[in-house]
Amino acid sequence: MNLIEPFLRGAGIAMVVLLFLVIAVRGGWRLRIDLLLMLSCVAAYLACSSPALLCGAEPGALPLVLAALAFPFVFWRLASVVLEDDRHIPWLAWTAAAVMVTCGLLAVLDYLPVPPNWRPVSGGLSKLMAIGFLGSAGVRAWRSREGDLIDARRRLRWIVVGALGFYSLAVIMVEIYLQRAAPPPWLDLLNISLIDLALLANAVLLLDMRPQAQEALFKPAPVSSKAAEADPLPAAMVDADAVLIDRLAILMRDQHLYRDPELSVKSLASALEVPEYVLRRLILARLGHRHFATFVNDYRLQEVTARMADPALNRRPILTLALEAGFGSIGPFNRFFRERYGMTPSEFRERCMLGPVTLESSPGQT
């Protein structure tokens, strides 16, 4: 077992290097930066959890310790980007991450002059923050499952967040139980083996043996006109989609179904009198939205901006306009407005008072 454990750790780190090379060769690493960060954290954990490498006693190993401690935050971030296309990091998350890493350093770095009775408290607080990030990722995965319009991504969320998230929680619980004691050799071997299997599965996905997972993990490139000409839709399907799009526009634009804060894929499909999968395909493939919320919020934004530009309503609170259009609260409305138009709602209203304003979506918006 003494020979198997270092071999498995080395194999895991080698697979991380392989994944980095695959991403570098394929390009698009900027879209995959969150995945690269998580892989770095996994490699750091594999290295620092080795009994042969005393990361807590060697100042030169500080980068590895930082990466290993940051894994829960990086995992939460990856889940947000993969599952919700949300690259926004609130200040509370940054604060929690700073507390988690700082307390973790105080707990594990032997060369820091920390009173012995402080180390268990710091370690417990760090673990508590880590559980919060992993639990939050699971909550987001559950909350956004129905609005996700990409079939492969809806299936993938239970692998990425469900399996990996629950496993990470189990590892943290074991670490809390053991405190700073070394795990039994069999448990350490099982842990490393499972991590290696997870890395191997990711390597398979990125090597295009599962192309649908590529679509789910990363935003697909826009279909070029040449590609559309080379693989055109059947005329009957195009005609049927056109009819459905017209009916959908009537429901949303004329009947204002978007004003319902509880509007869902299921309820809208029922109103359109089509199966859910047809509505999902229509909004994704024909209207270009990866998530149901962005499709609905577009209609809501159109109403709010039109009413904010109306001089007769310039004294009506923005919060009231947002709630009347179907937004559940002011926070999501402000964030979605700023991401879409590159300004706050208040700034837009101030510009409207000076004259007509032409709104354009910020780069990267669909």
Side-chain angles (χ1 to χ4, degrees), residues 44-291:
Y45 174 80
L46 286 171
C48 280
S49 60
S50 171
L53 183 60
L54 302 177
C55 290
E58 299 292 338
L62 180 59
L64 293 177
V65 178
L66 287 171
L69 290 172
F71 171 81
F73 170 71
V74 174
F75 174 75
W76 170 84
R77 168 70 176 154
L78 177 67
S80 302
V81 172
V82 168
L83 302 181
E84 297 190 70
D85 301 315
D86 183 7
R87 297 185 176 273
H88 171 72
I89 304 178
W91 66 267
L92 184 60
W94 284 118
T95 303
V99 171
M100 178 183 67
V101 173
T102 301
C103 290
L105 292 175
L106 294 176
V108 303
L109 296 184
D110 297 330
Y111 50 84
L112 291 181
V114 179
N117 57 335
W118 283 22
R119 292 188 184 275
V121 176
S122 297
L125 186 56
S126 178
K127 294 290 191 295
L128 182 62
M129 295 293 103
I131 291 172
F133 278 118
L134 295 173
S136 176
V139 169
R140 296 189 73 162
W142 176 261
R143 183 186 64 190
S144 62
R145 71 193 188 285
E146 183 179 338
D148 194 345
L149 301 177
I150 302 176
D151 291 334
R153 190 168 66 177
R154 288 203 309 278
R155 294 190 297 269
L156 189 65
R157 70 179 56 236
W158 305 120
I159 300 173
V160 172
V161 176
L164 185 55
F166 276 116
Y167 181 72
S168 301
L169 279 172
V171 170
I172 291 176
M173 294 301 181
V174 172
E175 290 176 349
I176 292 175
Y177 175 77
L178 294 174
Q179 296 184 11
R180 300 193 72 189
W186 68 267
L187 183 59
D188 190 39
L189 187 63
L190 176 63
N191 182 32
I192 302 305
S193 300
L194 292 174
I195 292 175
D196 282 0
L197 288 175
L199 289 171
L200 180 60
N202 276 280
V204 169
L205 294 178
L206 286 178
L207 287 171
D208 265 349
M209 295 182 71
R210 291 281 302 276
Q212 67 272 28
Q214 284 282 332
E215 174 196 2
L217 278 170
F218 310 111
K219 189 172 183 178
V223 178
S224 66
S225 58
K226 291 184 178 179
E229 292 173 1
D231 188 20
L233 291 172
M237 181 177 290
V238 173
D239 293 341
D241 283 354
V243 172
L244 287 177
I245 290 173
D246 289 341
R247 288 171 53 195
L248 182 60
I250 291 173
L251 290 173
M252 299 296 286
R253 184 185 61 242
D254 299 340
Q255 299 186 23
H256 309 293
L257 292 191
Y258 60 85
R259 290 177 179 171
D260 179 7
E262 303 300 324
L263 184 65
S264 64
V265 175
K266 182 177 181 180
S267 60
L268 184 56
S270 177
L272 193 59
E273 299 179 343
V274 297
E276 287 185 42
Y277 76 89
V278 173
L279 179 61
R280 293 180 188 277
R281 180 192 60 79
L282 193 72
I283 298 176
L284 173 66
R286 302 285 285 161
L287 300 179
H289 294 278
R290 287 161 56 89
H291 204 279

